[in-house]
Amino acid sequence: MEKDIEAIKAKAILMDTKLAQAEKDLAYLEEFLSRFKSIRENMKDLENYYFYDGTWLEERELLEEKCPDFNAGVFSEDGIYNAHVAQYDCVKQILKEAAISIAE
Protein backbone atom coordinates (compact mmCIF):
# COMPACT_ATOMS: atom_id res chain seq x y z
CA MET A 1 0.00 0.00 0.00
CA GLU A 2 1.54 3.24 -1.17
CA LYS A 3 1.15 6.43 0.83
CA ASP A 4 -0.35 9.54 -0.72
CA ILE A 5 2.61 11.90 -1.30
CA GLU A 6 0.39 15.00 -1.41
CA ALA A 7 -1.18 14.10 1.93
CA ILE A 8 2.28 13.57 3.42
CA LYS A 9 3.45 16.94 2.09
CA ALA A 10 0.35 18.69 3.46
CA LYS A 11 0.90 17.07 6.85
CA ALA A 12 4.58 18.10 6.80
CA ILE A 13 3.61 21.71 6.07
CA LEU A 14 1.12 21.65 8.95
CA MET A 15 3.73 20.16 11.29
CA ASP A 16 6.28 22.79 10.18
CA THR A 17 3.79 25.47 11.20
CA LYS A 18 3.31 23.77 14.55
CA LEU A 19 7.08 23.50 15.02
CA ALA A 20 7.54 27.22 14.34
CA GLN A 21 4.81 27.97 16.89
CA ALA A 22 6.41 25.58 19.40
CA GLU A 23 9.73 27.42 19.05
CA LYS A 24 7.98 30.74 19.76
CA ASP A 25 6.12 29.20 22.70
CA LEU A 26 9.31 27.75 24.18
CA ALA A 27 11.05 31.12 23.90
CA TYR A 28 8.11 32.64 25.80
CA LEU A 29 8.31 29.94 28.49
CA GLU A 30 12.05 30.47 28.89
CA GLU A 31 11.49 34.21 29.31
CA PHE A 32 8.71 33.54 31.81
CA LEU A 33 10.92 31.21 33.84
CA SER A 34 13.68 33.78 33.96
CA ARG A 35 11.19 36.37 35.25
CA PHE A 36 9.31 34.08 37.62
CA LYS A 37 11.94 34.31 40.37
CA SER A 38 11.94 38.12 40.31
CA ILE A 39 8.12 38.14 40.28
CA ARG A 40 8.12 35.97 43.40
CA GLU A 41 10.78 38.08 45.14
CA ASN A 42 8.78 41.25 44.48
CA MET A 43 5.61 39.67 45.86
CA LYS A 44 7.51 38.34 48.88
CA ASP A 45 8.68 41.87 49.72
CA LEU A 46 5.12 43.19 49.45
CA GLU A 47 3.71 40.31 51.50
CA ASN A 48 6.33 40.79 54.22
CA TYR A 49 5.53 44.51 54.38
CA TYR A 50 1.77 44.01 54.51
CA PHE A 51 1.37 40.80 56.51
CA TYR A 52 4.46 40.23 58.63
CA ASP A 53 6.77 43.11 59.50
CA GLY A 54 4.08 45.06 61.36
CA THR A 55 4.80 48.50 59.90
CA TRP A 56 2.26 48.77 57.08
CA LEU A 57 -0.72 49.91 59.16
CA GLU A 58 1.39 52.12 61.43
CA GLU A 59 3.01 53.86 58.47
CA ARG A 60 -0.30 54.25 56.66
CA GLU A 61 -1.90 55.86 59.70
CA LEU A 62 1.08 58.15 60.26
CA LEU A 63 1.01 59.34 56.66
CA GLU A 64 -2.76 59.87 56.78
CA GLU A 65 -2.27 62.07 59.84
CA LYS A 66 0.88 63.96 58.81
CA CYS A 67 0.46 64.06 55.01
CA PRO A 68 -3.25 63.81 54.22
CA ASP A 69 -2.66 64.66 50.53
CA PHE A 70 -0.13 61.84 50.08
CA ASN A 71 -1.52 58.92 48.11
CA ALA A 72 0.21 55.62 47.51
CA GLY A 73 -1.46 52.50 46.17
CA VAL A 74 0.44 50.38 48.65
CA PHE A 75 -1.68 51.91 51.42
CA SER A 76 -5.03 51.05 49.84
CA GLU A 77 -7.17 48.67 51.82
CA ASP A 78 -6.88 45.87 49.28
CA GLY A 79 -3.97 46.57 46.89
CA ILE A 80 -1.32 44.24 48.28
CA TYR A 81 -3.84 41.64 49.43
CA ASN A 82 -5.46 41.48 45.98
CA ALA A 83 -2.03 41.15 44.33
CA HIS A 84 -1.16 38.36 46.79
CA VAL A 85 -4.37 36.45 46.01
CA ALA A 86 -4.01 36.94 42.25
CA GLN A 87 -0.40 35.74 42.30
CA TYR A 88 -1.34 32.73 44.44
CA ASP A 89 -4.16 31.81 42.05
CA CYS A 90 -1.82 32.14 39.04
CA VAL A 91 0.80 29.91 40.65
CA LYS A 92 -1.85 27.29 41.45
CA GLN A 93 -2.99 27.35 37.82
CA ILE A 94 0.60 27.06 36.60
CA LEU A 95 1.12 24.03 38.85
CA LYS A 96 -2.12 22.45 37.64
CA GLU A 97 -1.21 22.95 33.97
CA ALA A 98 2.33 21.67 34.58
CA ALA A 99 0.99 18.55 36.31
CA ILE A 100 -1.40 17.88 33.42
CA SER A 101 1.41 18.39 30.92
CA ILE A 102 3.70 15.97 32.75
CA ALA A 103 0.95 13.37 33.18
CA GLU A 104 -0.02 13.32 29.50
Side-chain angles (χ1 to χ4, degrees):
M1 178 171 182
E2 192 171 315
K3 291 199 173 188
D4 179 359
I5 294 298
E6 292 306 313
I8 293 170
K9 286 167 53 177
K11 184 177 181 182
I13 290 168
L14 175 63
M15 292 300 122
D16 263 356
T17 302
K18 291 184 177 290
L19 178 58
Q21 183 61 50
E23 290 168 348
K24 290 177 188 175
D25 293 343
L26 290 169
Y28 173 80
L29 284 174
E30 288 171 0
E31 178 186 349
F32 169 77
L33 288 172
S34 71
R35 295 187 60 204
F36 189 73
K37 184 177 180 182
S38 64
I39 291 168
R40 184 66 204 126
E41 288 172 358
N42 184 61
M43 283 303 304
K44 191 173 184 178
D45 288 344
L46 286 169
E47 291 163 350
N48 284 336
Y49 180 53
Y50 186 74
F51 294 113
Y52 305 116
D53 81 3
T55 61
W56 177 86
L57 183 59
E58 175 186 326
E59 291 172 356
R60 185 183 92 161
E61 289 173 348
L62 184 62
L63 283 172
E64 284 176 347
E65 178 186 332
K66 303 288 184 182
C67 307
D69 294 333
F70 181 81
N71 290 313
V74 75
F75 291 122
S76 71
E77 286 292 325
D78 298 320
I80 296 174
Y81 181 80
N82 289 345
H84 163 78
V85 170
Q87 188 261 350
Y88 178 81
D89 289 343
C90 285
V91 170
K92 279 188 355 185
Q93 188 63 34
I94 290 166
L95 284 171
K96 179 181 175 183
E97 294 299 327
I100 291 169
S101 180
I102 290 169
E104 291 182 332

